[in-house]
Amino acid sequence: MFNDNKDFYPTPEHLFYKLMNGKRYLSGRILEPSAGKGDLIGHIKKLSNRDVKIDAIEKDSRLSNILSGDGISVVWDDFLTYNTFKEYDFIIMNPPFSNGVDHLLKAIELAEQQLSSCDIYAIVNKETIDNAYSNKRQNLLHKISSYNGKVEYVSNGFSDSERKTNVEVALVRLSVAKNNQGKSIYDRIVFNSSKKAEQELSTALSTTVKNGNIQSKINDIERLVAEYETACDLAKKAYQAMREREVFFNYIDTVNKGDNLYSNKLNLISSHSHTTENLNQELDKLRHGYWQLILDTDEFKELLTNDAIQELNRRMNLADELEINLQNIKMLITAINYNRQDMLMESVVSIFRKITRYHQNQYSTNIHYYNGWKTNDAFKINKKIIIPIKYVFDGYYDFSDKYENINSDTRRYIDDIVKAFKLIDHNVEDEFVRSNENEFENNLLRFKMFKNGNIHIWFKDLQLLSKLNYLCGKHFNWLPTDDEMENDRAAREYVYKEFGETKGISLLTA
């Protein structure tokens, strides 16, 4: 049957499965561009879900009629002249042996024109791949190589098929992916270093960035600004295109409805409305993310307790409504630098508040009262404290041999204490070792977890504890001022009695 068609060689099932190389599931929209009487489509359907859509192309009108009679969608006759707006997930083909090179190149061309990725599976004459005597064949080999395609040779693929031939075939598999589209857009961004940026930012950065790294940081900021502007431009263009699509679809629906109020055949094509609020939400997220990258406070955050980090984040979030430009960047970097020491002090004070807030309940041993210089409310952290963690310690991971495996609330609390003391003395250790059952220690403190949910902490470095208490007492104005210390002997004696030698006690500059 159809022996007068020299290119009619129906695909046997075993060769189809070999072509698919173990793939067991197909979905989406599939094109079969040399469909014959539908053998290959029949095999495809066995691997496809119910929602798959298959388009067929067939030049022989007799075969095309068979396809149509079987309910297969025939969309064109000559694949080499086929053009479409459709997006195909797969092109699966057994093109004419006499012209496989043109058909495979056409399939790759269609895939390249798409917005989405497309996988191509093709059965071609082995000579099409092996004997690259023409520019077209050399171009095909280049295309296969550029897309990391695979070629597998098969002998006797059609020797026992409906129409037999001993022609050796090549199974070609490749994916025309769109994975690098983002990179191609990124590569079009022009990053220019400007004197204006250097003048605006160098002074602001000088207090936090080492001199040798200032230009590198300025270059990073310029790059981030250019990325942000490109992302916002794309977001606005996408919004404009979606709005144009929406209003045009609504208009053509009206035009084609005419006078018949019930004739609205195009009303279903318009998707949901894309509002300016949707655009603003996208731009807000971009602006928030890029402010975080530009201000880049991760290294600074490592010095802060969790409470202080929340305060820093609150301050940074105030920038979310500011447009990203050099002037605003300079202003915010300057503001963060100006408040830097205050935020470091807040790290220390926040731990002091957390511990001493238990001074009016059963954990009053956490604090030691002293006769304040100007108030009777003054107190300081005691050398042993009890911290109630709202957690029952009863699992393996709570009482582990490793500090990093204990309850996260406990670890966070202890880490915050360590951070506060490290701002006074950088030699405080970050690491803890297990000293006993449920017990860990480092050079600053020892702590033990109890099953009632309490943590007992003993400070080992009492001199450092006195320094922290002194700094917090000064912060709350419980202690004599510098002038009073200089001019009043009683003030000096009072401070020395409570804290020992205080000369030179201050937070370390981060």
Side-chain angles (χ1 to χ4, degrees):
M1 187 179 182
F2 305 111
N3 288 334
D4 59 330
N5 184 337
K6 62 184 179 66
D7 290 314
F8 176 67
Y9 287 94
T11 307
E13 188 172 33
H14 73 88
L15 189 59
F16 164 74
Y17 282 108
K18 195 168 188 64
L19 171 68
M20 300 314 293
N21 195 35
K23 191 171 185 65
R24 293 300 179 208
Y25 181 75
L26 297 170
S27 62
R29 190 181 289 270
I30 301 172
L31 176 64
E32 211 287 51
S34 308
K37 61 181 177 64
D39 294 77
L40 184 53
I41 290 176
H43 306 327
I44 290 171
K45 286 182 176 180
K46 291 179 181 178
L47 292 186
S48 303
N49 64 14
R50 187 176 299 175
D51 296 326
V52 75
K53 294 183 177 180
I54 303 173
D55 287 347
I57 295 175
E58 178 50 54
K59 197 170 186 178
D60 189 320
S61 59
R62 297 169 298 173
L63 296 170
S64 178
N65 287 333
I66 293 175
L67 294 169
S68 297
D70 289 341
I72 295 171
S73 173
V74 180
V75 297
W76 199 247
D77 54 1
D78 184 359
F79 177 54
L80 297 180
T81 63
Y82 181 58
N83 290 297
T84 182
F85 290 107
K86 293 178 181 178
E87 297 269 317
Y88 290 105
D89 298 286
F90 299 92
I91 300 176
I92 304 174
M93 59 197 299
N94 174 13
F97 284 168
S98 62
N99 195 12
V101 60
D102 284 342
H103 282 249
L104 189 45
L105 282 171
K106 175 67 176 181
I108 295 172
E109 178 189 329
L110 275 180
E112 289 174 335
Q113 292 171 352
Q114 294 193 163
L115 297 175
S116 56
S117 300
C118 179
D119 293 339
I120 298 173
Y121 294 85
I123 303 170
V124 296
N125 191 326
K126 177 178 180 289
E127 289 296 305
T128 302
I129 304 299
D130 252 10
N131 188 7
Y133 65 85
S134 66
N135 289 336
K136 278 187 180 180
R137 290 191 176 189
Q138 290 174 15
N139 183 33
L140 176 60
L141 292 181
H142 172 73
K143 291 279 190 183
I144 293 172
S145 175
S146 66
Y147 289 113
N148 296 317
K150 305 297 181 185
V151 178
E152 178 183 357
Y153 296 116
V154 176
S155 300
N156 303 318
F158 288 87
S159 59
D160 57 352
S161 63
E162 180 180 332
R163 188 176 181 189
K164 297 176 175 56
T165 179
N166 291 322
V167 171
E168 192 171 359
V169 298
L171 307 181
V172 180
R173 312 177 191 94
L174 62 95
S175 179
V176 179
K178 305 296 179 177
N179 298 333
N180 290 324
Q181 284 182 308
K183 183 179 183 302
S184 65
I185 296 171
Y186 193 90
D187 289 342
R188 296 200 298 267
I189 301 176
V190 178
F191 300 111
N192 287 326
S193 182
S194 67
K195 284 290 182 185
K196 182 181 178 183
E198 190 171 337
Q199 292 167 354
E200 290 280 350
L201 300 175
S202 57
T203 302
L205 292 169
S206 62
T207 58
T208 54
V209 178
K210 294 178 181 177
N211 286 337
N213 297 331
I214 288 178
Q215 188 57 54
S216 175
K217 182 64 177 177
I218 291 172
N219 293 342
D220 278 345
I221 289 174
E222 287 185 301
R223 171 182 61 80
L224 291 168
V225 171
E227 287 177 16
Y228 166 75
E229 291 173 346
T230 302
C232 289
D233 183 55
L234 287 171
K236 296 199 76 168
K237 285 178 178 176
Y239 168 75
Q240 181 181 1
M242 294 172 78
R243 290 289 292 165
E244 287 179 354
R245 180 195 63 177
E246 181 185 347
V247 296
F248 180 70
F249 283 178
N250 288 336
Y251 182 73
I252 59 176
D253 180 37
T254 303
V255 167
N256 290 284
K257 184 183 298 183
D259 296 329
N260 186 347
L261 296 176
Y262 302 102
S263 176
N264 53 353
K265 296 181 175 62
L266 299 178
N267 71 322
L268 296 178
I269 60 177
S270 183
S271 63
H272 72 280
S273 177
H274 192 74
T275 66
T276 53
E277 181 60 27
N278 299 136
L279 174 62
N280 279 329
Q281 287 175 359
E282 188 171 338
L283 295 176
D284 287 348
K285 290 177 182 178
L286 279 169
R287 201 164 52 250
H288 173 79
Y290 270 93
W291 270 127
Q292 297 290 317
L293 289 170
I294 288 168
L295 297 177
D296 188 17
T297 57
D298 285 349
E299 186 176 341
F300 181 44
K301 282 183 178 180
E302 290 179 3
L303 303 172
L304 304 178
T305 60
N306 284 288
D307 288 344
I309 288 172
Q310 289 176 18
E311 173 60 20
L312 175 62
N313 287 337
R314 186 189 66 79
R315 295 187 187 205
M316 288 177 62
N317 287 340
L318 295 176
D320 281 359
E321 297 305 319
L322 292 178
E323 193 48 80
I324 293 177
N325 55 47
L326 293 179
Q327 186 175 352
N328 284 339
I329 292 169
K330 175 188 175 182
M331 178 186 71
L332 286 171
I333 290 175
T334 302
I336 288 176
N337 290 341
Y338 182 79
N339 293 291
R340 188 182 181 89
Q341 205 67 14
D342 287 343
M343 284 185 279
L344 292 175
M345 188 65 209
E346 180 58 31
S347 267
V348 175
V349 170
S350 66
I351 277 297
F352 185 91
R353 285 197 190 101
K354 270 188 174 181
I355 294 172
T356 57
R357 69 186 170 127
Y358 301 113
H359 71 283
Q360 291 180 342
N361 56 30
Q362 68 267 39
Y363 305 106
S364 58
T365 54
N366 285 353
I367 60 95
H368 167 66
Y369 286 91
Y370 60 92
N371 295 321
W373 186 249
K374 294 181 179 178
T375 173
N376 290 325
D377 293 332
F379 46 87
K380 55 186 179 180
I381 299 173
N382 215 338
K383 62 183 179 181
K384 179 194 174 181
I385 59 176
I386 300 173
I387 304 300
I389 297 290
K390 295 178 180 178
Y391 183 84
V392 178
F393 301 112
D394 59 0
Y396 169 77
Y397 287 105
D398 302 320
F399 301 125
S400 166
D401 286 343
K402 295 184 178 180
Y403 174 73
E404 58 267 25
N405 288 339
I406 66 175
N407 168 257
S408 59
D409 288 341
T410 304
R411 207 169 58 249
R412 217 168 8 244
Y413 205 112
I414 298 296
D415 286 347
D416 276 357
I417 292 176
V418 170
K419 284 181 177 181
F421 280 92
K422 280 181 74 72
L423 289 172
I424 304 172
D425 184 350
H426 286 340
N427 293 317
V428 172
E429 295 172 352
D430 295 303
E431 302 296 325
F432 283 85
V433 296
R434 182 175 180 269
S435 57
N436 213 328
E437 186 179 3
N438 315 333
E439 194 171 326
F440 294 84
E441 67 179 316
N442 66 1
N443 64 343
L444 171 68
L445 58 84
R446 174 171 60 93
F447 73 92
K448 184 171 183 177
M449 297 173 290
F450 290 85
K451 291 190 177 182
N452 63 0
N454 289 339
I455 307 167
H456 290 208
I457 300 175
W458 296 265
F459 288 101
K460 297 164 62 176
D461 191 333
L462 299 184
Q463 187 177 6
L464 193 54
L465 178 62
S466 285
K467 289 181 179 181
L468 183 138
N469 280 323
Y470 172 75
L471 286 172
C472 291
K474 291 280 284 185
H475 176 81
F476 291 114
N477 296 318
W478 294 334
L479 301 179
T481 64
D482 291 340
D483 286 342
E484 287 172 324
M485 289 276 287
E486 186 175 345
N487 299 313
D488 189 334
R489 179 180 175 184
R492 291 194 299 273
E493 290 178 349
Y494 162 73
V495 171
Y496 185 81
K497 173 178 174 291
E498 294 291 343
F499 303 100
E501 180 57 57
T502 60
K503 188 175 182 180
I505 297 178
S506 63
L507 289 186
L508 299 175
T509 302

